[in-house]
Amino acid sequence: MNSKKESLPLLGGLTPTQFLAEYWQKKPLLIKNAIPNFAGLLSPDELAGLACEEYVQSRIVEYKKGKWHASHGPFSDVDFSKLPEQPTKDHHWTLLVQSVNHYLPEATALLQQFDFIPHARLDDLMVSYAPDGGGVGPHFDSYDVFLLQGQGKRLWRISDQSDLSLIEGAPLRILQNFDTSQEWLLEAGDMLYLPPHLAHWGIAVSDGATDCMTYSIGFRAPKNQELATEFLGFMQDKLNQDQLVLDGIYQDADLTLQNHPAEISSAMISKVSAILQKIQWSKYDVAEFLGTYLSDPKADVVFEPNKKISMRAFNEKLIKLGIALDLKSQMLFETNCFYLNGEAAKFTGDSAEILKKLADNRHLKPNDISSNGHLHKEIDAQLLQQIHDWYIAGYLHFKM
Ligand code: SIN
Ligand code: CO
């Protein structure tokens, strides 16, 4: 985990505390040589290969004869063969692949360098590839992003414009107008942080030999409306499962004669308001909601269960290899409640400390959990059973 007081080359020499206070959600920051000698994590061919896989979210954005086009993967060789080999100012394209951290351990390791932002706010690593001129056009995003340059170069333009009107009917969000206020040419290892809603435009610059690849470390921030909808669904589940009980039945021994039998009286409305006001929640309910909701996998995420293994064999492997979260797993915690891929578990004391380490670091090394060939005493039978269950579900794997 990052120390908040240590100055980081990744942040151009700022400490995480300084970055959070001065830039996060506030203003852009250009960091030259944020990751020295960063050559990228995968080749254009490997990225195209990912875009051909069924469960991988990918897009090709093409600009052709003054119009933007977007198509969604999975793609095939035929789709790629239709794209211009020699892009021009009037016809260029880019490929974008979402959640590369779900497929590449190196991508998860890259995201871990951004640990100064809570895991609950992290979304994914998107990687783009574009020959000369390619990009997704002038736009703004609703979320914070670090744009790290891999191979090749990209010209980034940003604008302090307040006019964020979009071209109507375009298949992607393109700004109608763009007034450049600053621009930089980013080279491998350079990085640009952008706060939400800042207009930007990245244009691939290629010498023909090395095309542009950009790594977007993207964050998530639920809309208030979405939080409310999801929370009310969570509360409804509590009612359905009798974890929240409103005793009694509507009573009106004080009923008086109404002029209109069809009218809903104000007395009835007051009584029902009083009943509904008994639906209350504590910060523990909100914590449980956040833990399950924010660790819940996206709809396209599938876990491959691990083969059944005896508890004895499981122990032996655990001692020898340690254990790690699956690349797609999201683990969060609050006090003694642990949330893994939308499921909750409670642990206290030393067991909780072990699980906090697993959640923060995404793995437990053999010496985090054992010494001299024996599991530490804090891995009691209940914790061992839980780790085993998560392993069988495919949420954890032995660390190699
Ligand atoms: C990209 O084209 O790689 C970055 C997209 C963006 O501007 O968010
Ligand atoms: Co953007």
Side-chain angles (χ1 to χ4, degrees), residues 33-48:
N33 226 7
I35 303 189
N37 307 317
F38 182 67
L41 305 179
L42 72 176
S43 69
D45 278 349
E46 285 164 334
L47 190 72

Side-chain angles (χ1 to χ4, degrees), residues 268-280:
M268 185 176 211
I269 295 169
S270 301
K271 277 180 195 289
V272 172
S273 295
I275 293 166
L276 294 180
Q277 270 165 27
K278 288 187 189 150
I279 305 174
Q280 283 184 350

